[in-house]
Amino acid sequence: AANAVIDALESPYVNDAYTKLTFFLEDAWIRIDPVGDKTAGSTFTISGTTNLAAGENLIVEVTSAAFQPGTVGEATGFSSDAGTVTIQQGETANTWSFEVDATGFRPDQYIVTVESIEAGTTTTGTFNVVEAVPTTQPSGTVTTTPTGTETTPTTTTTIA
């Protein structure tokens, strides 16, 4: 039926204009790139790809896996980060990225949740925050001794 309409529109006796478009219908998806281990107190970027349209918004949440809700006024000691990002046009898939300020994060496993309210799709991933290793510089004067082969002279006495 579609070909019959196209053939009729391409007839030299029809002056109607048309545009032929091809499109695909597929389920919406969001992917998170591997995050890897991050250091407590650092700033880093979580990124990913999606087939959702450029310009749409995603909600990104980063929460400690050990988080448990507390009562009102009770300090939980857990840190998290959240925000909204705009999807950017990509070449094969559109992209998104979210900068995380882990200043208050303590070592733990963290869950990343990325959600599109409009498309009704969500994805999650995990990564670890590890303890920052302090870097120390030696203080005072440092003396170095060259290495190499040292020889000690010996003497031989012959008694006749």
Side-chain angles (χ1 to χ4, degrees):
N3 287 334
V5 172
I6 292 170
D7 291 342
L9 289 172
E10 289 179 346
S11 168
Y13 304 110
V14 175
N15 63 354
D16 292 342
Y18 75 96
T19 302
K20 185 176 179 180
L21 297 174
T22 302
F23 59 93
F24 300 96
L25 297 178
E26 66 178 315
D27 291 335
W29 53 263
I30 302 169
R31 293 192 180 107
I32 302 170
D33 295 337
V35 179
D37 291 349
K38 299 299 177 185
T39 306
S42 65
T43 301
F44 55 91
T45 301
I46 297 175
S47 59
T49 55
T50 182
N51 66 345
L52 298 173
E56 289 188 27
N57 291 325
L58 298 174
I59 299 169
V60 180
E61 296 177 343
V62 179
T63 310
S64 169
F67 172 74
Q68 296 293 320
T71 60
V72 176
E74 176 187 7
T76 63
F78 295 101
S79 295
S80 65
D81 201 358
T84 303
V85 297
T86 303
I87 299 170
Q88 303 298 315
Q89 182 69 44
E91 291 193 27
T92 57
N94 292 333
T95 62
W96 59 270
S97 64
F98 179 72
E99 188 167 320
V100 177
D101 180 3
T103 302
F105 284 25
R106 63 184 195 187
D108 194 5
Q109 183 179 51
Y110 284 79
I111 301 169
V112 181
T113 304
V114 184
E115 178 179 16
S116 169
I117 300 295
E118 295 170 5
T121 188
T122 302
T123 191
T124 60
T126 61
F127 68 95
N128 294 313
V129 171
V130 296
E131 184 109 17
V133 178
T135 56
T136 57
Q137 296 292 329
S139 60
T141 305
V142 176
T143 306
T144 59
T145 305
T147 59
T149 305
E150 293 183 22
T151 58
T152 305
T154 58
T155 54
T156 305
T157 306
T158 306
I159 300 178

